[in-house]
Amino acid sequence: MKAIRILAVIFAALILAQPVFAETLNGAGATFPYPVYSAWAFEYSKVTGTRLNYQSIGSGGGQRQISSRTVDFGASDAPLKPGKLAEHKLLQFPAVIGGVVPVINIKGIKEGQLRLSPQALCGIFLGTVKKWNDKSIGSLNPSLILPDANITVVRRSDGSGTTAIFTTYLAGVCPAWKQKVGAGKAVKWPAGTGGKGNEGVANYVKRLKNSIGYVEFAYAKQNKLNYISLQNGSGKFVAPTFESFKAAAAGGGFDPNKDFYLWLVNAPGEGSWPIAGATFILLASEQVEQNKKVVKFFDWAYQSGDMTAERLVYVPLPKSLKDKVKTYWRSKGIY
Amino acid sequence: MQDRKSADIIFHGITAIAAFSVLFVILGVLFVLVKESYPSIGRFGFFRFIATNDWNPVTGNFGAAAALFGTAVTTALALIIAVPVAIGIAVFVTEVAPPFLKGPVGVAIELLAAIPSIVYGMWGLFTLVPIMSEYIEPALQGTMGRLPLIGILFEGTPLGIDLLTSSIILSIMIIPFTASISRDAFNLTPPLVKESAYATGATKWEVIWDVVIPYSKVGVFGGIILSLGRALGETMAVAFVLGNNHQITSSLLDTATTITVALANEFTEADTDIYLSSLFNLALILFIMSFIILALSKLMLAWAGRKSDR
C-alpha cells in the first residue's frame, strides 16, 4: 500500500509539472516545397528559437489535416477555390513559386535547343504525335536533325501537384486534352510509362533514349536534365530559368479577394515561362493566435529567405506579390 | 495449492486476451475498410466495381478490374518462377549438398527473407530494370516473341518497367518462404522410408521425386500458400517498377498496376472523397481475396490430410 501511495504522488507530480518546451509550429502537406520549408525552419529556429515541424504527406493530406485542425498550417500545391476555403473556414496565400519543365533525352540535342509549341507538346502527351521527326516538331526546329524514332512518353505514376500544374497547362492550351483527359493531380493518361515521383520520371528520362517527361524545375536544374524551350502565350520561345519563372510570377494576376486562387500557367508576359505554379499555405481562420505565429514565420521567410530559396532552386515571390500577401494578412487580423 | 491454481487462471486469462485481441484487430480493420469504402460501393456497386475497367480521377469513375488483373498476373507469374526454384533449393540443401554447404546455403536463404521490401524495390529499379530492358527482354522478344501463341506475351517496346520485371522481383522475395518450409518438411521424412527405397535400388533422384516429395506434399503446399500470401500483399518492391498504368494488357512487357501499387502511388494525393473511398474499396477487395484464398487452402490441406489418413 505504501508503495502504491508513493507511486501515486510521483505520477501526480509528473502530470502537474509543466515543463517549458520550445515553441513548435506544426505543418503538413505538399512534398514539392519540403526542402525549402525545412531549410527556412532551420534558419528560423536559429534566429528566434521557434521550431517548425513539417510533414510532407502530400497536398491532399495537407488539405485534410488543416480542415480537421490537427496542424497549425497546411501546404498545398493546388490552390483551393474560394468556395472550398469558405466551406472549411480556411485562409490561403502563396509561399514560393516553382513549375514544371518538360525534359528530353535525344542524342545530339543539347539543353534548350529543342523548341516545342503547346500544340506539339499536347500531341506528344496525347499520343497523337508519335515520332520525333513529325512535321509539327520539325517545322519548329529547322536547324535540328530529329531522329526517326518513336517518342517514349514518361509521366507520373503517382498523384502530385506537379501533374496538377502540367495537366492544367495542357487543358488550358489544348481543347483536345481538356476534353479527353482533363486536369488533376492524377489523370487517366492516354500514353506513356509512369515513374514514381519526380525522381522516378527523371531516372527514366535519363535512361530511355528518345524519351520525354516532365519534372519540377528544381529537379531539372539539379540533375542537369535536358530541358526544352517552350513557346509561351506571347509566341516567344522561353527557356526555364529563374528569370522566366519570376516573369511569370510577376505577370500572374493573384487576387487577395479570391484568396490568391490562381493557376500560374500561361502567365502573361513576353518572358514568362508558361508552366509555372505557386505552392500555397492554408490556415484555419478561427485560430488567430496560431495564425499570427505562422504568419510571423512566413514574413521572416519573405524578408530573409530568398537566398536560401534560390539556392535550393525555388523562385521567391516578387515584391509586389509579397506586399499583396501582407495586405491580405493585415485584413484578416493576423499581421 | 491455491497459488498454483490462481496462477493457472491468470495464465489462461492472459493468453485468452492475446488471442482475442488479434481477433478484435482483424475485425477492426475490416470495419474501417467497409466504412471507408461505403461511398464507393454505394456509387459503383460492389460487383460492378470489380468488373469495371476504368480508373479516371478527373471524372470520378473508378473500377478495380485492371488492378485485380495485375495482382493476379504478378502473383501467378511470381509463383510459377519461385516454386520450382524454392523446391530445388530445398532438395539441394536436404539431399544433394555436402554437409559443409547445408548451413551457409540455409542461412543465405533466410537472409533473402530478411531484406526489407523497399530495398528490393530500389534494387529492382536501379539494377534489374536496366538489365531487363537492355539484355533480357530484347532477347526474349527475339526468341520467344517469334513463336505463334506465346509471342503475344512479349510484344511492345522493352522498357524494363513492366509485369515481367515485377514478377521476377516478387519471385525472388517469396522464394525463402517456400524454400525453408519445404526444407523442414523434407527433413521430416523418416530416414527409414528413404533407406528402404535406396535398399530396393532406387537412385537419388527417384528417392527424392517418388518418396520424399510425396511424403512432404502437405508441408510444401503450406509453404507455397505462405509465399502466395506474401506475393499478394507486396507493395514497395513493385511500386517503382510496374508503372501504375490502370490497363488490362496481353503483353508481359507492358506497364500495369496491382492493388497494392495503386494504393502506394495514389493514396497520399487522393483529393476527392470518392477517389479515397475507391482506394479503400480496392484495399477491402484485397483483404477479402486474401481471406478467401487462405480459407480455401486450409480446406484443401484438411481434405488432403483426411485422404492421407485413410
Side-chain angles (χ1 to χ4, degrees), chain B:
Chain B
M1 270 298 281
Q2 193 60 26
D3 272 343
R4 281 168 60 218
K5 258 188 88 177
S6 56
D8 246 358
I9 295 174
I10 294 177
F11 180 62
H12 287 163
I14 292 177
T15 51
I17 289 175
F20 281 114
S21 63
V22 172
L23 210 61
F24 281 138
V25 168
I26 293 181
L27 286 175
V29 169
L30 184 62
F31 175 71
V32 169
L33 285 178
V34 172
K35 176 166 165 283
E36 293 291 336
S37 23
Y38 198 70
S40 168
I41 298 177
R43 167 93 73 95
F44 304 117
F46 189 70
F47 293 106
R48 198 158 68 90
F49 182 77
I50 295 177
T52 311
N53 179 18
D54 188 19
W55 192 266
N56 197 332
V58 175
T59 62
N61 198 26
F62 298 101
L68 277 172
F69 170 78
T71 305
V73 169
T74 49
T75 307
L77 196 54
L79 279 175
I80 291 174
I81 300 174
V83 168
V85 174
I87 295 184
I89 292 174
V91 166
F92 179 79
V93 171
T94 53
E95 304 288 335
V96 176
F100 73 92
L101 266 186
K102 282 192 212 256
V105 174
V107 168
I109 299 299
E110 314 275 325
L111 274 178
L112 210 60
I115 299 178
S117 53
I118 186 145
V119 173
Y120 274 114
M122 289 170 63
W123 170 80
L125 181 62
F126 289 112
T127 311
L128 190 60
V129 165
I131 295 177
M132 293 293 287
S133 70
E134 274 165 53
Y135 303 111
I136 301 186
E137 280 173 8
L140 277 173
Q141 267 194 326
T143 53
M144 295 179 80
R146 293 191 205 273
L147 302 174
L149 276 174
I150 310 181
I152 313 175
L153 291 174
F154 298 100
E155 280 173 5
T157 330
L159 294 173
I161 308 150
D162 46 42
L163 286 166
L164 186 63
T165 314
S166 312
S167 304
I168 291 178
I169 297 177
L170 266 183
S171 70
I172 300 175
M173 292 188 72
I174 66 180
I175 283 175
F177 299 99
T178 310
S180 345
I181 293 185
S182 304
R183 179 192 55 188
D184 293 337
F186 290 164
N187 275 332
L188 283 175
T189 331
L192 197 59
V193 177
K194 284 198 289 197
E195 282 161 20
S196 317
Y198 282 126
T200 60
T203 62
K204 198 153 207 173
W205 171 248
E206 283 171 346
V207 170
I208 295 172
W209 192 247
D210 293 325
V211 176
V212 176
I213 291 188
Y215 198 89
S216 346
K217 257 196 322 242
V218 171
V220 173
F221 187 66
I224 295 177
I225 294 301
L226 219 65
S227 293
L228 171 65
R230 178 89 196 256
L232 271 180
E234 191 45 58
T235 308
M236 289 324 279
V238 283
F240 304 123
V241 297
L242 195 47
N244 195 26
N245 193 353
H246 288 262
Q247 63 168 4
I248 294 183
T249 170
S250 61
S251 166
L252 289 177
L253 303 187
D254 239 341
T255 54
T257 191
T258 68
I259 294 179
T260 48
V261 169
L263 286 172
N265 274 302
E266 301 179 37
F267 197 75
T268 47
E269 292 284 351
D271 39 10
T272 52
D273 284 332
I274 191 68
Y275 194 179
L276 196 61
S277 178
S278 300
L279 288 172
F280 269 105
N281 203 345
L282 278 182
L284 178 65
I285 294 173
L286 184 63
F287 189 85
I288 294 177
M289 226 168 68
S290 315
F291 186 76
I292 291 179
I293 291 180
L294 251 159
L296 276 176
S297 60
K298 287 273 183 215
L299 279 172
M300 279 181 73
L301 278 171
W303 173 79
R306 257 182 288 124
K307 242 184 63 170
S308 62
D309 277 346
R310 265 193 274 118

Side-chain angles (χ1 to χ4, degrees), chain A residues 9-79:
Chain A
V9 168
I10 296 176
F11 198 53
L14 282 173
I15 292 178
L16 291 172
Q18 296 283 335
V20 179
F21 289 123
E23 173 100 61
T24 309
L25 295 173
N26 290 304
T31 50
F32 159 63
Y34 172 63
V36 71
Y37 290 168
S38 48
W40 281 345
F42 178 63
E43 287 167 28
Y44 189 64
S45 74
K46 279 198 289 187
V47 170
T48 64
T50 306
R51 282 192 299 203
L52 194 94
N53 174 24
Y54 184 76
Q55 300 293 322
S56 63
I57 56 177
S59 306
Q63 290 165 9
R64 266 196 291 275
Q65 297 308 314
I66 189 66
S67 300
S68 45
R69 310 312 198 232
T70 50
V71 288
D72 298 318
F73 70 91
S76 172
D77 289 334

Side-chain angles (χ1 to χ4, degrees), chain A residues 45-124:
Chain A
S45 74
K46 279 198 289 187
V47 170
T48 64
T50 306
R51 282 192 299 203
L52 194 94
N53 174 24
Y54 184 76
Q55 300 293 322
S56 63
I57 56 177
S59 306
Q63 290 165 9
R64 266 196 291 275
Q65 297 308 314
I66 189 66
S67 300
S68 45
R69 310 312 198 232
T70 50
V71 288
D72 298 318
F73 70 91
S76 172
D77 289 334
L80 292 179
K81 292 203 173 106
K84 205 86 194 276
L85 291 170
E87 186 190 325
H88 294 286
K89 300 202 192 30
L90 297 172
L91 307 173
Q92 174 175 267
F93 61 89
V96 79
I97 306 267
V100 175
V101 176
V103 289
I104 58 169
N105 179 351
I106 304 179
K107 198 160 156 203
I109 297 190
K110 299 205 199 38
E111 280 98 27
Q113 272 191 328
L114 185 71
R115 295 176 152 201
L116 286 180
S117 65
Q119 286 66 37
L121 194 60
C122 219
I124 293 174

Side-chain angles (χ1 to χ4, degrees), chain A residues 146-278:
Chain A
L146 296 165
D148 177 25
N150 285 330
I151 305 178
T152 303
V153 173
V154 183
R155 35 87 175 177
R156 291 286 289 268
S157 67
D158 51 336
S160 94
T162 315
T163 302
I165 296 176
F166 188 55
T167 50
T168 307
Y169 165 73
L170 288 176
V173 295
C174 203
W177 182 273
K178 183 164 183 181
Q179 193 219 7
K180 206 167 166 227
V181 185
K185 291 212 213 80
V187 296
K188 192 171 175 188
W189 293 94
T193 312
K196 189 169 192 303
N198 279 303
E199 325 71 71
V201 173
N203 183 357
Y204 290 168
V205 169
K206 266 184 146 160
R207 261 195 326 107
L208 302 169
K209 283 193 279 277
N210 303 317
S211 59
I212 183 171
Y214 64 92
V215 292
E216 282 283 351
F217 177 44
Y219 273 91
K221 254 194 120 66
Q222 283 167 345
N223 292 302
K224 301 202 199 331
L225 294 173
N226 192 342
Y227 52 83
I228 63 163
S229 289
L230 189 56
Q231 193 177 31
N232 64 11
S234 314
K236 296 268 190 304
F237 289 96
V238 281
T241 61
F242 274 111
E243 287 67 40
S244 56
F245 275 93
K246 284 182 183 161
F254 286 96
D255 187 358
N257 293 324
K258 293 217 195 84
D259 297 288
F260 301 98
Y261 174 79
L262 180 74
W263 289 97
L264 200 51
V265 294
N266 273 316
E270 288 217 336
S272 300
W273 176 254
I275 327 180

